[in-house]
Amino acid sequence: MVAAGIQLLALLLACAVSTAETGQSFNLKMWRKEDQPVQQQFSQVNEEIERLKYYQAVMKQKQEDMNQAIMHCAQMQAPRDEEVNVTTLQEGSNTLPYPFSHEDKDPEEDNDGVLDPCYHYSVLDQPWRATNFSTKNVACDQKVQWKGWYRLFYRGKTIQMPERCVKMEMCGTHAPLWLVGGHPRIRDGIVTRKVCGHWNRNCCAFKSPPIQVKACKGNFYVYKFVKPQACHLAYCADINTLVCGRCKKDEICNSRDKINWFCKKSKRRVKAKVHFFASYPGSLQGKVNRIQFSKVYVNVGGAFNSRTGVFTAPVTGVYQFFFSTQSATNGAKTDLWLVINGYWVALSHTRVSSPNSLGNLSTYMTSLRKGALVYVTHNCGYSWANSVSNTITFGGSLLLVQR
Ligand SMILES: *[C@@H]1O[C@H](CO)[C@@H](O)[C@H](O)[C@H]1NC(C)=O
Ligand SMILES: *[C@@H]1O[C@H](CO)[C@@H](O)[C@H](O)[C@H]1NC(C)=O
Ligand SMILES: *[C@@H]1O[C@H](CO)[C@@H](O)[C@H](O)[C@H]1NC(C)=O
């Protein structure tokens, strides 16, 4: 107990020293045990022990309250994610009890068996972490045995860390910890972000160890919290971001000043998957205005019409096409043209001089506006194919979406 008291003194001292370093006016002299008579040292230690006992009692009460809140929370959230397993940490440890996340099926578990933190996190629902909460009973996240990933809640509602400097003495601590550099997008995956503690008009007086953050489907984030470097620092929950938990599926949460948050329709990215490949299963002779490639092997995006043989660009972007034939007419030329919006843009030409057959494949790449029409015309000659030869073909892909 005495040892614990001294340890706490040391912690308090560490905090006081860093306070002094940041240039605040109260002048702190480094306190050394030898500077004081033994009796005084003991009385100080005893005082600390008393304070610790009180602190312990308060924490115990908080722990019980939180257990109830957690049970309540677990029941509330259970239906969506199936099973929620709540584990309390062993008694006697100085950590706060957090429920452990559910064992539900993880659709994104990768091959190494690494679990997606979006489905495997602990719930951290402590209203005192809110940016509008201050208390004399300050918390210290350095004393928490952080383990794995956490999702922040405020009374059962999703909340995020602040992306801005938070006033001192808020978030139930002395120096509130905020996220530097903002939250990631879903496509960013897991990112590492700096964490700063505000003290004495210096928004980053405490450069806390960086944490990992991930954006999850459903407008929430998970954080891999670690011990901050000193007491009393605590991770904040920005009360202004409560609105973000109410954003709809097709919305994202946005803020220009990082103070006022609002839901906003996200710019839907066009599903840019367009691929087709078709063939004409017979022979063609002379002029055929538009080859009706009726045998369709691939038509991802459904932009190719097998009845008309016309491909219609579904989005503006860069496309690549190919078309082919095989000719066997002695001495005569055979020409296939790729036609875009009525313009003949590319030729596949064959001329067979001796009794033989010849194949020709042409490709063409271009930018097209949405709605552009593309087909192949058989201008002259003789093209040979049967139902399985795939010698008269037409295909293409969207390579890139442009705006
Ligand atoms: C919760 O998890 C623990 C440890 O993984 C397991 O022993 C216990 O049976 C689980 N409880 C429930 C209700 O699933
Ligand atoms: C903090 O904000 C929440 C949500 O607006 C509110 O319910 C709560 O009463 C506020 N707490 C304090 C201490 O102002
Ligand atoms: C294929 O067509 C191209 C373009 O019309 C032509 O230049 C080339 O000679 C043809 N290849 C053969 C083998 O006929």
Side-chain angles (χ1 to χ4, degrees):
M1 272 306 235
V2 175
I6 288 169
Q7 208 179 358
L8 189 93
L9 275 179
L11 282 168
L12 289 170
L13 203 62
C15 196
V17 169
S18 26
T19 307
E21 273 171 358
T22 62
Q24 207 180 38
S25 54
F26 50 82
N27 210 355
L28 274 172
K29 191 167 155 258
M30 185 67 94
W31 179 80
R32 286 184 303 159
K33 275 184 284 181
E34 302 85 74
D35 291 347
Q36 294 177 23
V38 175
Q39 264 182 335
Q40 202 177 330
Q41 286 177 38
F42 268 110
S43 76
Q44 281 200 347
V45 167
N46 277 331
E47 229 171 84
E48 276 312 313
I49 289 170
E50 285 309 309
R51 275 172 63 174
L52 269 174
K53 275 183 184 163
Y54 170 75
Y55 188 62
Q56 206 170 22
V58 170
M59 291 302 280
K60 207 170 170 186
Q61 183 57 48
K62 273 193 177 176
Q63 186 160 339
E64 277 163 14
D65 291 351
M66 272 192 47
N67 275 343
Q68 278 189 340
I70 287 159
M71 292 306 290
H72 178 64
C73 191
Q75 280 160 7
M76 268 171 34
Q77 270 145 35
R80 194 177 68 83
D81 293 328
E82 295 156 40
E83 240 179 60
V84 177
N85 196 341
V86 177
T87 54
T88 13
L89 296 162
Q90 316 90 298
E91 270 195 20
S93 73
N94 62 350
T95 48
L96 302 168
Y98 299 129
F100 227 78
S101 68
H102 36 272
E103 301 266 77
D104 88 24
K105 261 232 186 104
D106 180 354
E108 281 167 47
E109 181 173 335
D110 69 25
N111 295 336
D112 304 332
V114 177
L115 301 174
D116 184 344
C118 287
Y119 296 89
H120 300 269
Y121 55 77
S122 305
V123 170
L124 194 56
D125 190 341
Q126 295 169 316
W128 58 262
R129 289 189 184 275
T131 44
N132 66 350
F133 186 87
S134 64
T135 173
K136 280 195 201 117
N137 204 355
V138 291
C140 174
D141 273 353
Q142 197 184 38
K143 294 184 182 158
V144 177
Q145 299 298 327
W146 299 102
K147 190 171 175 288
W149 292 78
Y150 296 84
R151 175 174 171 185
L152 286 171
F153 285 88
Y154 179 83
R155 300 191 191 283
K157 295 196 176 82
T158 283
I159 194 166
Q160 326 178 161
M161 273 187 81
E163 295 185 7
R164 61 177 165 120
C165 193
V166 177
K167 266 169 74 185
M168 283 192 301
E169 306 292 347
M170 299 312 262
C171 306
T173 191
H174 284 318
L177 292 174
W178 58 283
L179 194 68
V180 182
H183 286 82
R185 296 159 302 183
I186 285 184
R187 62 175 177 273
D188 297 331
I190 295 171
V191 300
T192 301
R193 288 283 187 268
K194 283 188 203 150
V195 173
C196 276
H198 177 200
W199 190 249
N200 191 32
R201 281 190 228 114
N202 181 350
C203 283
C204 205
F206 292 95
K207 290 181 178 59
S208 206
I211 58 168
Q212 290 185 301
V213 189
K214 190 183 183 202
C216 301
K217 276 182 203 156
N219 279 305
F220 71 91
Y221 298 90
V222 286
Y223 307 90
K224 197 166 187 194
F225 291 134
V226 297
K227 286 182 185 219
Q229 87 270 44
C231 281
H232 288 84
L233 280 67
Y235 292 106
C236 281
D238 191 343
I239 205 81
N240 291 348
T241 64
L242 276 177
V243 62
C244 299
R246 297 196 289 267
C247 292
K248 298 200 188 83
K249 245 185 168 173
D250 58 346
E251 290 179 328
I252 52 164
C253 205
N254 211 324
S255 173
R256 280 179 209 105
D257 52 12
K258 305 295 181 198
I259 297 169
N260 301 295
W261 290 81
F262 53 92
C263 296
K264 178 184 137 180
K265 271 234 152 49
S266 69
K267 273 187 204 147
R268 282 183 83 80
R269 295 216 294 167
V270 185
K271 283 227 171 93
K273 284 188 182 136
V274 181
H275 306 282
F276 76 100
F277 175 59
S279 83
Y280 185 82
S283 296
L284 296 168
Q285 195 152 11
K287 193 159 173 70
V288 178
N289 263 340
R290 209 170 49 222
I291 303 175
Q292 285 166 33
F293 296 91
S294 54
K295 212 168 169 189
V296 178
Y297 290 91
V298 173
N299 195 9
V300 178
F304 181 73
N305 186 331
S306 62
R307 201 176 45 77
T308 59
V310 177
F311 171 84
T312 308
V315 292
T316 298
V318 176
Y319 291 82
Q320 179 164 36
F321 299 99
F322 58 88
F323 57 107
S324 70
T325 184
Q326 174 167 306
S327 180
T329 309
N330 198 348
K333 66 168 186 172
T334 301
D335 286 350
L336 266 68
W337 282 92
L338 183 73
V339 185
I340 296 180
N341 287 336
Y343 291 93
W344 298 23
V345 296
L347 168 68
S348 176
H349 166 91
T350 49
R351 184 187 287 270
V352 185
S353 50
S354 57
N356 207 334
S357 75
L358 194 60
N360 199 336
L361 172 74
S362 284
T363 62
Y364 190 71
M365 198 192 288
T366 185
S367 291
L368 293 181
R369 281 189 195 281
K370 181 180 174 177
L373 302 176
V374 186
Y375 61 89
V376 178
T377 187
H378 192 271
N379 194 42
C380 58
Y382 175 79
S383 286
W384 176 87
N386 65 20
S387 61
V388 292
S389 69
N390 298 320
T391 36
I392 305 171
T393 64
F394 178 33
S397 288
L398 169 65
L399 302 182
L400 182 73
V401 179
Q402 291 175 322
R403 292 196 181 278

